Amino acid sequence: VASLLLGCMFSCQKSDEEPTAAEPIGTYVFKGEECPVHSAIYASNNVSLMIRISPLLKPIEEQTTYAIIGINTALEGETIDVGNAWNNDDYYFRYEDPVYYYSVYRKLQSGTIRIERSGASKDTFDISVDVVLPDGTDFSFEYQGQIASATL
């Protein structure tokens, strides 16, 4: 699951080649700046549940800005305090854009992550992320609604 999502990318800046923007499905905050979310997918297995969001409308393989937020499926519906949780076991966070890169291998400083699914096909999400990245940068994302499953 992680390798599927790791190949995909996410930034607030739009390039000249970006298609005409549709209404965003939500927003995230990075470095105090509110950014639109134009694409979101999820993937899951018996161990992890990963959500990938991006402000870009390009096909996933062409996107240069993205965030991946994930949890261990055993913690679905729970509020995970990242200060007391295991990085890359209980939770997973990666952010990349043309200027900034936050590796999954660096523990977040503080904050919480909560992901819960509902609906018959488990594609309706209630997501709350409010974390401080390793260098003190803030990142937050709140979302309630459907997200498409990643096609394998």
Side-chain angles (χ1 to χ4, degrees):
V1 173
S3 57
L4 164 72
L5 293 174
L6 288 175
C8 306
M9 299 193 218
F10 157 137
S11 176
C12 288
Q13 278 187 315
K14 297 182 69 136
S15 73
D16 292 336
E17 299 173 22
E18 187 71 12
T20 303
E23 280 295 311
I25 63 168
T27 59
Y28 67 93
V29 175
F30 175 70
K31 294 184 105 30
E33 183 179 347
E34 193 169 288
C35 304
V37 174
H38 285 290
S39 71
I41 59 170
Y42 81 93
S44 66
N45 59 28
N46 292 336
V47 178
S48 60
L49 170 61
M50 302 286 183
I51 311 288
R52 183 194 168 283
I53 61 173
S54 176
L56 303 177
L57 291 168
K58 295 177 181 181
I60 290 169
E61 60 276 359
E62 295 177 23
Q63 292 180 352
T64 56
T65 303
Y66 65 95
I68 300 172
I69 304 138
I71 60 169
N72 183 305
T73 55
L75 299 173
E76 185 175 334
E78 309 241 353
T79 298
I80 301 166
D81 178 345
V82 300
N84 296 322
W86 291 99
N87 181 36
N88 287 332
D89 187 19
D90 294 335
Y91 75 89
Y92 178 95
F93 184 89
R94 176 178 173 169
Y95 178 90
E96 185 169 348
D97 72 25
V99 177
Y100 298 99
Y101 174 71
Y102 294 90
S103 168
V104 298
Y105 299 109
R106 294 187 63 203
K107 184 170 177 58
L108 299 175
Q109 279 188 17
S110 62
T112 59
I113 297 173
R114 182 177 184 282
I115 301 174
E116 185 170 14
R117 295 183 291 176
S118 62
S121 60
K122 294 281 208 178
D123 64 351
T124 301
F125 288 81
D126 185 352
I127 302 168
S128 176
V129 179
D130 188 9
V131 295
V132 178
L133 306 182
D135 67 352
T137 297
D138 62 309
F139 181 95
S140 62
F141 175 61
E142 300 279 332
Y143 180 77
Q144 291 180 326
Q146 289 190 315
I147 296 178
S149 176
T151 305
L152 299 176

